[in-house]
Amino acid sequence: MLAVRSWGLRSPGLGLVAACAPPRFDAARFDERGPKMAPKRALIRTWKIRAGDTVYVNSGKDKQSSGEVLMVDHRRNMLKVKGLNLRKVQDEDGNYKNIEKKIHYSNCALVDPAAGRPTRVGLTFTEDGDAVRISHLTGHVIPWPDPPKHLQKEAQEWDDGPKDTPPEIALKKTYDYHADNEALRLARLTMTKYNYKA
């Protein structure tokens, strides 16, 4: 009876707070459409494939074919390859068209541009902290592809306006530590609690 009453009133009854609480975020992240999100322990930490790379598909219905990566989905460990894993879908006008569906990261291998064959890849880091991909097949460096145009940042030129502070005024030292320290010392002396002697 309490459950019925709390359901009808849209407020929790006695001891039914947990039943009326909204779902947790961890449970909600699996309710989205499409492939399931990878659990946190299964997420790939170091991605060696980016959009613009050429990959070789080594399993699935498009086995032994290669193509360019269109996008990567880090939350699902999947990527889209141009012209592979096609599905036929119907648009609003009733026309059918083929779209690429995602392929799991483990089913793809990066193609070495020097040899033209799929290879395993190792990462090394420069002194600046930049990651460099090294092919296990030939030992050559595989360059990272250019980011897509919508992610490239254009250099913006700024014109100084009337409210912009010139650099020589902004960098001028205006704080004097010793003068401020002396002012604090004098303020402490004037306070009565510091004038008591023990």
Side-chain angles (χ1 to χ4, degrees), residues 4 12 15 18 23 34-35 37 40 53 60 65 84 91 96 100 111 122 148 152-153 157 162 166 169 180 194-195:
V4 173
M37 294 211 193
K40 291 179 184 177
D53 280 325
S65 55
L84 299 181
D91 59 3
Y96 288 96
E100 292 93 355
V111 173
Q152 291 179 359
K153 293 182 180 177
E157 295 182 6
I169 295 176
D180 193 34
Y194 291 107
N195 292 332

Side-chain angles (χ1 to χ4, degrees), residues 38-53:
K40 291 179 184 177
R41 67 179 181 277
L43 289 175
I44 296 170
R45 293 190 186 112
T46 54
W47 276 74
K48 299 168 187 172
I49 298 175
R50 288 186 185 169
D53 280 325

Side-chain angles (χ1 to χ4, degrees), residues 92-150:
E92 296 86 18
D93 301 332
N95 301 325
Y96 288 96
K97 62 179 181 178
N98 290 326
I99 61 167
E100 292 93 355
K101 299 298 277 186
K102 295 176 183 174
I103 301 173
H104 196 267
Y105 180 89
S106 64
N107 296 337
C108 300
L110 192 63
V111 173
D112 188 355
R117 295 191 330 209
T119 180
R120 289 170 44 223
V121 178
L123 284 179
T124 57
F125 293 91
T126 62
E127 293 176 358
D128 300 333
D130 298 330
V132 178
R133 299 185 292 184
I134 306 292
S135 168
H136 285 209
L137 186 66
T138 60
H140 290 98
V141 173
I142 302 175
W144 294 100
D146 294 330
K149 291 182 181 177
H150 67 279

Side-chain angles (χ1 to χ4, degrees), residues 70-87:
L70 297 175
M71 65 160 290
V72 292
D73 189 353
H74 297 281
R75 298 169 69 192
R76 292 181 173 89
N77 295 340
M78 302 186 95
L79 46 98
K80 276 188 187 177
V81 182
K82 188 174 186 179
L84 299 181
N85 199 19
L86 297 174
R87 296 288 187 273

Side-chain angles (χ1 to χ4, degrees), residues 13 41 54 115 174 181:
R41 67 179 181 277
T54 303
T174 58
N181 195 16

